[in-house]
Amino acid sequence: MKTIDLHKNLLLAYTESSDGNMDERFNDKAQVMSNRRKIYNQFDLNPRTVIEAKQIHSDRILKLTEDNTKMWVGNNIPGVDGFITNQPEAALLLKVADCLPVIIYDPDHHVFGIFHVGWQGAIKNIHLKGLSQMEEEYESNPGKLLVWLGPSACGNCYESIEKPEQVGDQNWKPFIKKKSNKWKIDVEGYVTESLKQAGIKSKSIKSEKRCTIEDEGLFSHTRSKSSEQYPEARFLILAKLR
Ligand SMILES: [Zn+2]
């Protein structure tokens, strides 16, 4: 487990392979619960108060308010891939293994957003939609926001045999390269550039720079497909106001 010091008022951490699989789709539930409990205990979190997204590679973002946070605690919410909130009790989770986790924190208004940006999410610009929602709902000013980009598949490793649908899109052009009949896609590069275009300062974007496909200290969906040596699993991103 690694804790990230993006801002003193935001608890931010992610688990690693050594913490075990965190997704009950790929292990028995008791094992996953036990793996998770160790992490929750480190932060004094009640497991019943954690809220997670049952991610579907959509661009749907749920705003957690005082009223609906009470309703959603302890749930794995179907059909969403991100949250924005100003609720201090909302401990929010994503499960990833190659997709890019994006956190946007607004220190002035003490609110944050957490977004699951996979290939599909990046095409749908869920991170930009999340940013716009923070501007609308909390009057966040992009120039004052802090961003953390978690571990994900890097632009050298992430490849597709099929031609990506956004290959003709000018905004994507610098981040898609063709190499011996395969397409290399740099999702983090695209997300970083698009956030800068939206007004976030370069110096405010912090990247973990750990490639999930190369780094066996993390789980990778791509690596799990390449060899039985690597079982399918997910690690957690955990974020909470403090
Ligand atoms: Zn890589």
Side-chain angles (χ1 to χ4, degrees):
M1 211 252 330
K2 260 195 94 175
T3 52
I4 302 300
D5 184 22
L6 185 69
H7 191 281
K8 63 180 174 21
N9 294 334
L10 183 74
L11 165 66
L12 180 55
Y14 67 92
T15 68
E16 297 171 289
S17 305
S18 54
D19 299 304
N21 170 41
M22 298 291 173
D23 191 327
E24 62 187 47
R25 289 176 301 166
F26 312 120
N27 259 139
D28 69 273
K29 203 171 175 174
Q31 182 64 58
V32 171
M33 290 295 284
S34 157
N35 292 344
R36 284 184 172 212
R37 203 166 293 125
K38 286 178 196 152
I39 301 301
Y40 300 157
N41 285 345
Q42 289 191 44
F43 299 108
D44 270 335
L45 295 175
N46 179 341
R48 276 185 287 253
T49 64
V50 165
I51 300 175
E52 60 188 296
K54 207 168 187 172
Q55 304 146 201
I56 53 163
H57 299 277
S58 74
D59 59 356
R60 285 188 56 203
I61 296 162
L62 178 66
K63 179 188 178 189
L64 289 165
T65 62
E66 194 173 350
D67 288 339
N68 71 4
T69 297
K70 290 186 193 106
M71 188 174 88
W72 286 120
V73 284
N75 279 282
N76 188 6
I77 305 177
V80 300
D81 283 84
F83 300 105
I84 56 169
T85 194
N86 60 1
Q87 294 299 302
E89 66 272 33
L92 305 182
L93 293 185
L94 292 181
K95 298 168 291 278
V96 287
D98 294 346
C99 289
L100 176 67
V102 176
I103 304 283
I104 305 180
Y105 177 61
D106 176 346
D108 294 335
H109 299 93
H110 198 38
V111 298
F112 78 104
I114 178 168
F115 313 105
H116 165 239
V117 189
W119 174 233
Q120 291 300 322
I123 294 173
K124 293 168 190 160
N125 287 313
I126 181 173
H127 56 296
L128 297 180
K129 285 178 187 160
L131 173 61
S132 298
Q133 286 187 21
M134 288 175 70
E135 292 180 60
E136 283 159 28
E137 301 287 339
Y138 306 121
E139 297 177 2
S140 293
N141 173 354
K144 295 191 162 180
L145 301 180
L146 304 173
V147 172
W148 180 73
L149 306 175
S152 68
C154 83
N156 280 328
C157 297
Y158 190 20
E159 55 188 25
S160 164
I161 299 160
E162 284 165 42
K163 188 174 175 180
E165 62 185 89
Q166 72 279 46
V167 75
D169 182 331
Q170 282 305 313
N171 294 321
W172 272 96
K173 211 168 180 182
F175 308 106
I176 301 177
K177 292 189 170 60
K178 198 172 181 193
K179 245 183 189 173
S180 56
N181 293 328
K182 279 181 181 165
W183 301 83
K184 303 265 186 191
I185 303 152
D186 180 3
V187 172
E188 182 180 304
Y190 170 75
V191 167
T192 303
E193 185 55 33
S194 58
L195 288 172
K196 282 191 221 165
Q197 297 284 333
I200 292 181
K201 292 181 180 149
S202 301
K203 65 168 192 207
S204 302
I205 302 177
K206 189 172 168 180
S207 165
E208 198 60 15
K209 293 273 177 228
R210 273 183 89 175
C211 172
T212 47
I213 297 177
E214 291 168 71
D215 187 336
E216 295 189 11
L218 298 162
F219 294 123
S220 165
H221 171 64
T222 305
R223 201 168 356 99
S224 78
K225 284 191 297 183
S226 73
S227 162
E228 283 182 14
Q229 188 192 337
Y230 305 106
E232 188 76 274
R234 298 288 180 274
F235 58 96
L236 286 184
I237 311 296
L238 167 67
K240 184 180 177 296
L241 297 173
R242 62 179 175 196

